[in-house]
Amino acid sequence: MLRRVTTAPTSGGRVVVGFDGSKASLDALDWAAHQADLTDARLEILAAWEWPTSFGWAVPVPDDFDPESEVQSTLGDAVSSVRATHPALDIDARVVHGHPAPVLVQASKGASLLVVGSRGHGEFVGMLIGSVSEYCTTNAHCPVLVHRATT
């Protein structure tokens, strides 16, 4: 593998990646971590969550349902894996309450790159690009890479 050799510290900015625990987001995270490592950028991993909603009736949820804690645990496992592969990488991992699309677009302000998976936990599994990816590509404040994993 070729690596850039420098004598002075450089700053490659910030690579933001969306994470929801899906295979597509794990692949996007792996790619983003590699890119951040190559460019001496800081990696910012965002996992967004919302309360389940429906129209017309209440969604039953168990009394002990804690989606934020579940997302935090899944994110923690993913961060541990990234740290093992890229030990020198500066990583900021956060769980944010809100819909992922606007959360990621907001985080793209000042970023060098936004990375999202091609499909996450959406309802339309057969689509080539997910609704979050589409929203990010049309609204982000920086370049966006939609990572499509090979099968």
Side-chain angles (χ1 to χ4, degrees):
M1 175 186 347
L2 295 174
R3 297 239 349 143
R4 181 180 62 217
V5 178
T6 59
T7 55
T10 61
S11 175
R14 182 170 54 99
V15 174
V16 177
V17 60
F19 178 78
D20 67 4
S22 68
K23 170 86 168 91
S25 74
L26 285 165
D27 291 342
L29 173 57
D30 186 48
W31 190 95
H34 183 70
Q35 181 66 20
D37 201 16
L38 287 174
T39 60
D40 295 325
R42 182 167 50 98
L43 181 64
E44 183 175 341
I45 310 166
L46 292 179
W49 69 276
E50 293 183 298
W51 283 102
T53 59
S54 70
F55 298 101
W57 61 85
V59 175
V61 294
D63 291 339
D64 62 345
F65 181 61
D66 183 4
E68 184 173 11
S69 183
E70 289 180 22
V71 171
Q72 187 67 51
S73 175
T74 303
L75 179 60
D77 292 343
V79 170
S80 294
S81 177
V82 170
R83 287 192 196 283
T85 308
H86 304 276
L89 191 58
D90 183 12
I91 301 172
D92 175 26
R94 295 184 291 135
V95 173
V96 181
H97 179 255
H99 189 275
V103 165
L104 290 168
V105 167
Q106 178 66 29
S108 74
K109 291 181 178 177
S112 309
L113 180 66
L114 172 61
V115 180
V116 292
S118 61
R119 288 195 308 256
H121 283 180
E123 297 173 14
F124 304 104
V125 176
M127 294 182 74
L128 293 177
I129 183 170
S131 59
V132 171
S133 300
E134 182 178 9
Y135 185 87
C136 289
T137 58
T138 58
N139 293 284
H141 303 276
C142 68
V144 177
L145 180 124
V146 179
H147 187 270
R148 184 164 173 84
T150 56
T151 54

